[in-house]
């Protein structure tokens, strides 16, 4: 039994019953059949189409602004620019060593924000 099985069992489910339902039971016939919802079936992507996964990502404000400016200059979207950069990194086409100039700029910007907060004084009580 795996750690996941323990969590499932603790939630009141039997992992063996779930596995059976998904492989040979009623759940098995649902595999590979996307739910259309209100969309016309002809608008659904064809079977076997690659699936995109959304990831939430936190970036420093300055990095986000640089991404937007770069994407606009290249005539693309920020999402496409990030995908291209990740693919290039994974393919070994990019040097993963942090650029010291960019690191310095980010550090200076963060220090500037900290100084601004300190000089603004304590927050007023509501």
């Amino acid at each position: 039994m795996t750690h996941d099985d323990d969590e499932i069992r603790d939630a009141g489910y039997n992992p063996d019953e779930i596995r059976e339902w998904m492989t040979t039971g009623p759940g098995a016939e649902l595999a590979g059949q996307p739910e259309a919802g209100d969309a016309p079936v002809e608008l659904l992507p064809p079977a076997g189409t690659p699936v995109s996964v959304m990831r939430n990502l936190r970036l420093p404000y300055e990095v986000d602004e640089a991404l937007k400016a770069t994407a606009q200059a290249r005539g693309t979207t920020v999402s496409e620019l990030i995908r291209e950069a990740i693919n290039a990194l994974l393919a070994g086409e990019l040097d993963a060593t942090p650029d010291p100039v960019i690191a310095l700029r980010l550090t200076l910007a963060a220090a500037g924000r900290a100084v601004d907060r300190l000089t603004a004084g304590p927050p007023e009580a509501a």
Side-chain angles (χ1 to χ4, degrees), residues 7 19 23-24 28 36 39 41 57 59 78 81 83 87 94 105:
E7 289 178 13
R19 203 171 288 111
T23 56
T24 59
V41 174
L57 175 69
L59 298 171
V78 171
L81 183 64
R83 279 191 293 273
N87 286 331
L94 295 179
R105 285 182 181 164

Side-chain angles (χ1 to χ4, degrees), residues 18 20-36 47:
I18 293 172
E20 181 182 335
W21 184 86
M22 292 173 57
T23 56
T24 59
E29 67 186 47
L30 299 174
Q33 297 177 11
E35 189 174 313

Side-chain angles (χ1 to χ4, degrees), residues 46-92:
T49 300
V51 176
S52 293
V53 177
M54 288 187 63
R55 296 278 180 212
N56 290 328
L57 175 69
R58 291 188 184 271
L59 298 171
Y61 177 80
E62 294 78 13
V63 172
D64 186 60
E65 290 298 307
L67 275 171
K68 288 181 208 174
T70 303
Q72 184 175 14
R74 293 184 181 188
T76 189
T77 65
V78 171
S79 293
E80 185 58 31
L81 183 64
I82 291 171
R83 279 191 293 273
E84 288 174 9
I86 291 170
N87 286 331
L89 179 66
L90 293 175

